Amino acid sequence: MILRLLSSFGANSGKCTTVLANLRNKWTTPANVIKTEPCRRWQSTQMPANRVYDVNTKVPKDVMLFKYENPRFFKMLNIFAVSQFLFWGYLCHFSYTTLKDAPVQKDGKEDLPWYKRVNLGENKYRNSIAIMCFCIGYGVLFASWMFTLRSIRFLVLRKGGDKVSVVTYAPFGTNRIMDVPLKYVSAQESREAARVTVPIKIKNRALYYMLDMRGEFTNTKLYDYSVGLSRKLK
């Protein structure tokens, strides 16, 4: 009798250990699933970031990137420049032909004001005044014309995306157009960071070309990935 009780107790204890093992496996297996499933799901749903070469700049037709319509301002600027050149040119001619050599008497020269002690008709003073007047007039005209010729009116990306047409203002109300390979164009500042103008450098061209921020960027994304890139020009 006692032997039967012991054998039944041993059999029941074996069943208990089996049940406990099954319960342990049942509760540990979902934990592993919870740890691994989010990682697999995150890796599968993550999208790659946009890259520069994902933007297709090889356009099938000409696309305008920028325009700045302000011809009245440049017309008034050049009228002012021409009038200044004529005014200072007349002063140059007047000072060179009209000023006469009139030496100041030495007696009582010390009592005279400084401007009366200067002989403006003397060669060194007359020539200096004439040259100064000419330089002022020519400097105003040159600065105005260079500012006009470096102000971009239109930017057009040509068909195929290899060239860009740079259209600038001209001193006499016309346009100046030049086709430049895109690899020879470099923006010195980004469109978002610019306050007044965006300097554009073109290879083998003196000074910078300027995009006035009062203008309109008609295709911002295409501009940023074509003309708006900073390139090393050798």
Side-chain angles (χ1 to χ4, degrees):
M1 191 72 181
I2 295 172
L3 293 174
R4 289 180 180 179
L5 291 174
L6 291 174
S7 61
S8 62
F9 178 76
N12 292 329
S13 63
K15 292 180 180 180
C16 291
T17 55
T18 303
V19 171
L20 290 175
N22 292 332
L23 289 174
R24 187 178 301 165
N25 294 330
K26 182 178 180 180
W27 289 104
T28 56
T29 303
N32 294 330
V33 173
I34 293 173
K35 289 181 181 179
T36 56
E37 281 184 354
C39 295
R40 293 176 182 176
R41 188 177 303 169
W42 177 81
Q43 292 176 358
S44 61
T45 58
Q46 188 181 13
M47 299 298 294
N50 291 332
R51 292 159 293 190
V52 174
Y53 49 80
D54 290 336
V55 179
N56 185 16
T57 59
K58 297 185 179 299
V59 292
K61 60 180 181 179
D62 296 346
V63 179
M64 182 175 293
L65 305 178
F66 172 83
K67 65 177 180 179
Y68 175 53
E69 288 287 356
N70 196 4
R72 185 174 181 273
F73 167 76
F74 291 98
K75 181 179 179 180
M76 298 301 295
L77 176 64
N78 286 278
I79 291 175
F80 168 78
V82 172
S83 62
Q84 287 293 306
F85 178 75
L86 295 176
F87 171 75
W88 290 102
Y90 171 75
L91 285 182
C92 173
H93 175 75
F94 176 81
S95 61
Y96 187 77
T97 58
T98 306
L99 293 178
K100 303 297 182 181
D101 187 9
V104 181
Q105 296 181 358
K106 296 182 179 180
D107 297 338
K109 182 178 179 181
E110 292 78 7
D111 299 333
L112 296 175
W114 66 269
Y115 57 88
K116 290 185 178 180
R117 288 181 286 177
V118 178
N119 180 15
L120 296 178
E122 193 175 354
N123 287 333
K124 62 178 181 180
Y125 293 112
R126 183 182 62 180
N127 296 336
S128 298
I129 294 174
I131 293 174
M132 181 186 66
C133 292
F134 177 80
C135 290
I136 292 175
Y138 184 77
V140 172
L141 183 66
F142 177 80
S144 301
W145 281 9
M146 290 304 297
F147 178 77
T148 302
L149 292 171
R150 290 300 184 270
S151 297
I152 298 177
R153 187 173 187 175
F154 302 111
L155 270 181
V156 180
L157 186 63
R158 306 295 291 182
K159 180 180 178 180
D162 295 331
K163 292 184 178 181
V164 60
S165 292
V166 181
V167 183
T168 64
Y169 288 92
F172 299 104
T174 57
N175 294 330
R176 185 183 180 188
I177 306 174
M178 57 180 177
D179 291 336
V180 183
L182 190 59
K183 62 182 180 179
Y184 292 163
V185 180
S186 175
Q188 304 301 305
E189 192 174 5
S190 65
R191 177 175 52 84
E192 292 82 2
R195 297 292 183 95
V196 181
T197 58
V198 178
I200 302 294
K201 180 62 177 177
I202 298 178
K203 187 177 180 180
N204 299 328
R205 297 282 180 174
L207 304 179
Y208 289 96
Y209 290 81
M210 294 174 292
L211 293 177
D212 199 308
M213 293 303 296
R214 291 175 294 182
E216 179 185 359
F217 291 89
T218 56
N219 196 321
T220 56
K221 187 174 182 180
L222 195 57
Y223 166 83
D224 291 338
Y225 291 107
S226 57
V227 179
L229 294 177
S230 179
R231 300 178 175 86
K232 292 183 179 180
L233 304 177
K234 297 181 180 179

